[in-house]
Amino acid sequence: MAYCRKCGAVIDDEAVLCPHCGVEQVPGTYRQSQNDDGSIVWAIVGFLIPIVGLILWIAWNTDRPKSARMAGIGALVSVLAGVIIALIVFIALAAFVNTEVNVQMLGLL
């Protein structure tokens, strides 16, 4: 049993192309690592420390595709969550400052 060197899908031992992702296979060069289980632990590590998730994704992309994907997803979710939180804080502060300025202009303070 062989695995695709790109997506990790099970393929025929003699396959030239992966039927799932279409990547050319070099026979006998890739056997899936026994530790490539795509554990949620890698997503959590990527989420808590996005730069580590990115580094793991780059380093493991060909050797451990499932674990690399989980680390990359964790890093991506962390960055997106940070951007969304920053936007919410920025909008809330802008609204607060605008309200305070309007109150001062009316002479209510």
Side-chain angles (χ1 to χ4, degrees), residues 7-51:
C7 69
V10 176
I11 60 173
D12 186 64
D13 288 336
E14 303 301 321
V16 177
L17 295 175
C18 174
H20 301 283
C21 68
V23 171
E24 183 178 0
Q25 303 297 306
V26 179
T29 59
Y30 178 71
R31 298 282 183 226
Q32 187 176 26
S33 170
Q34 292 179 355
N35 295 331
D36 187 19
D37 57 356
S39 173
I40 191 73
V41 170
W42 299 118
I44 293 169
V45 168
F47 181 80
L48 295 176
I49 312 169
I51 191 69

Side-chain angles (χ1 to χ4, degrees), residues 7 18 38 42 46 55 63 70 91 94 105:
C7 69
C18 174
W42 299 118
I55 291 169
D63 298 332
M70 292 302 284
I91 291 169
M105 289 176 67

Side-chain angles (χ1 to χ4, degrees), residues 35-81:
N35 295 331
D36 187 19
D37 57 356
S39 173
I40 191 73
V41 170
W42 299 118
I44 293 169
V45 168
F47 181 80
L48 295 176
I49 312 169
I51 191 69
V52 171
L54 177 64
I55 291 169
L56 290 176
W57 180 76
I58 291 169
W60 288 348
N61 204 17
T62 55
D63 298 332
R64 298 173 67 178
K66 292 178 183 177
S67 296
R69 184 169 190 253
M70 292 302 284
I73 288 172
L76 182 63
V77 169
S78 177
V79 169
L80 289 176

